[in-house]
Amino acid sequence: MFLRIDHVGIACHDLEEKIAFYESTFGLTVVSREVNEEQGVKEAMLHVAEGEGGASYVQLLEPLSPETAVGKFLAKRGEGVHHIGYGVADVTRALQEIAGKGVRLIDSRPRHGSMGAAIAFLHPKDVGGVLTELVEAPRRSS
Ligand code: V0V
Ligand code: CO
C-alpha cells in the first residue's frame, strides 16, 4: 500500500528557528512554505531524498494557535516527532482498505495538504500511538 515515507512531521514552537537549524546542521533545503488554516499550521517542507517512489521530506510544523492539533500536542508533549506521512498512489482507495481493517479514520475523505497533495489522517490510538498520514502527491508533469 505504501510507496515510500513521504515525510516526517515535526512539531516546533518557532518555525523559522527550526528551519535555520535544519539548514545549517544538515544542509537541507526548504522547497515549500505554506499556511494551512484547515489543519491549523504554518509549515515548511525540507527536501531529504529522491527515491523510485518519489521524494521524501521533513515537514516542520508550527501551530497557528494553542487550540489546534499541533498546539495541543506541543502543550502535552513538547517539541518532537508529530506524525509519519506515507506516500500512497490513491488516498481514497487506501482509506477504504484501511477502514475495512478497523482503524479509525480521522478524515473519511481527503483534505488539502502541502504542495498540492491530497492527505488523510488515521487515529494514533489505533496505530500504536503513531499519528499516521496518507499522502497522494500530485502527478508529476515531466
Ligand atoms: C494526540 N495524540 C497523539 C498525537 N496527538 N498521539 C500520537 N501522536 C500525535 N501526534 C494522543 C494524545 O496524547 C491523547 O492521548 C489522544 O491522542 C487525544 O489527544 P488530544 O490531545 O485530546 O487531542 P484530540 O483528540 O483533540 O486530537 C488528536 C488528533 C488530532 C490526533 C485526533 O491531533 C488530529 O486530528 N490530527 C490530525 C490533523 C493534524 O495533526 N494536522 C496537523 C498536521 P492520551 O494522552 O489521552 O493517552 S498538518 C499536515 O501534516 C499537513 C498539512 C501535510 O502534511 O500536508
Ligand atoms: Co504532514
Side-chain angles (χ1 to χ4, degrees):
M1 180 179 294
F2 295 156
L3 304 173
R4 67 188 180 286
I5 291 178
D6 182 276
H7 65 270
V8 175
I10 297 173
C12 64
H13 292 290
D14 185 332
L15 183 64
E16 294 310 320
E17 182 193 291
K18 279 296 178 295
I19 288 172
F21 172 82
Y22 275 79
E23 285 175 339
S24 65
T25 309
F26 303 122
L28 297 186
T29 304
V30 174
V31 292
S32 160
R33 287 173 194 256
E34 288 180 39
V35 171
N36 188 323
E37 298 278 352
E38 184 183 33
Q39 297 294 336
V41 294
K42 186 162 95 172
E43 52 92 6
M45 294 294 247
L46 289 82
H47 184 256
V48 175
E50 219 45 60
E52 266 179 43
S56 64
Y57 306 90
V58 170
Q59 180 177 45
L60 301 176
L61 304 153
E62 181 189 311
L64 292 178
S65 82
E67 298 79 39
T68 60
V70 175
K72 286 165 78 176
F73 179 91
L74 280 174
K76 225 174 207 175
R77 302 187 182 204
E79 294 187 317
V81 174
H82 179 258
H83 66 269
I84 309 283
Y86 293 99
V88 297
D90 182 334
V91 69
T92 304
R93 202 164 70 204
L95 282 172
Q96 282 168 357
E97 279 180 40
I98 292 164
K101 294 176 182 172
V103 173
R104 261 172 298 165
L105 311 179
I106 292 173
D107 303 303
S108 55
R109 62 177 178 81
R111 311 273 171 195
H112 168 72
S114 189
M115 299 190 292
I119 62 170
F121 285 92
L122 310 177
H123 205 287
K125 292 289 175 195
D126 292 343
V127 194
V130 180
L131 177 59
T132 300
E133 178 184 350
L134 308 175
V135 183
E136 179 185 337
R139 282 179 220 295
R140 294 196 227 196
S141 49
S142 59

